[in-house]
Amino acid sequence: QVQLVESGGGLVQAGGSLRLSCAASGSIFSINDMGWYRQAPGKQRELVATITRGGSTVYTDSVKGRFTISRDNAKTTVYLQMNSLKPEDTASYYCWGWAGKNYWGQGTQVAVSS
């Protein structure tokens, strides 16, 4: 089993920055890819960014050039640096990990005011 705990959400003005963190515990050596998804009110959950154990990254088009995903050397914590935030980035952000099946964190709220 894997547990994922997010932190770092909050309220920020448009153009500001936030850094999300997700700490994994449990069977951490079984975790391969990790990443972030988000879900805005009334919308489906969507991929934001993912990172493999080897460091390869994927971003959704709307965040390219503004968000950066990274992972610590122990591969147990994944970060999402979010710059130039826009009101449309407002959502609940969920940490995701793949360890033979999908694991999800409880979510952290990001609100961007115009």
Side-chain angles (χ1 to χ4, degrees):
Q1 292 292 318
V2 172
Q3 295 79 44
L4 302 173
V5 179
E6 304 102 332
S7 60
L11 174 64
V12 64
Q13 288 187 332
S17 298
L18 283 174
R19 189 190 196 207
L20 305 183
S21 299
C22 172
S25 60
S27 301
I28 58 174
F29 295 107
S30 65
I31 301 173
N32 292 311
D33 297 355
M34 295 185 75
W36 294 91
Y37 284 69
R38 67 186 179 187
Q39 186 168 18
K43 295 188 177 181
Q44 289 188 329
R45 189 172 296 190
E46 65 171 356
L47 179 148
V48 177
T50 62
I51 185 168
T52 68
R53 288 187 68 88
S56 297
T57 58
V58 172
Y59 295 92
T60 192
D61 285 346
S62 63
V63 308
K64 286 180 180 177
R66 300 189 298 122
F67 291 11
T68 303
I69 190 170
S70 61
R71 197 165 172 176
D72 71 335
N73 289 336
K75 314 299 181 187
T76 60
T77 303
V78 64
Y79 304 96
L80 186 68
Q81 178 65 44
M82 304 185 294
N83 298 328
S84 302
L85 282 160
K86 303 175 180 180
E88 50 264 43
D89 294 317
T90 295
S92 293
Y93 283 70
Y94 296 89
C95 181
W96 165 80
W98 173 257
K101 66 177 185 178
N102 291 315
Y103 289 91
W104 296 96
Q106 81 285 355
T108 186
Q109 184 67 34
V110 171
V112 184
S113 62
S114 57

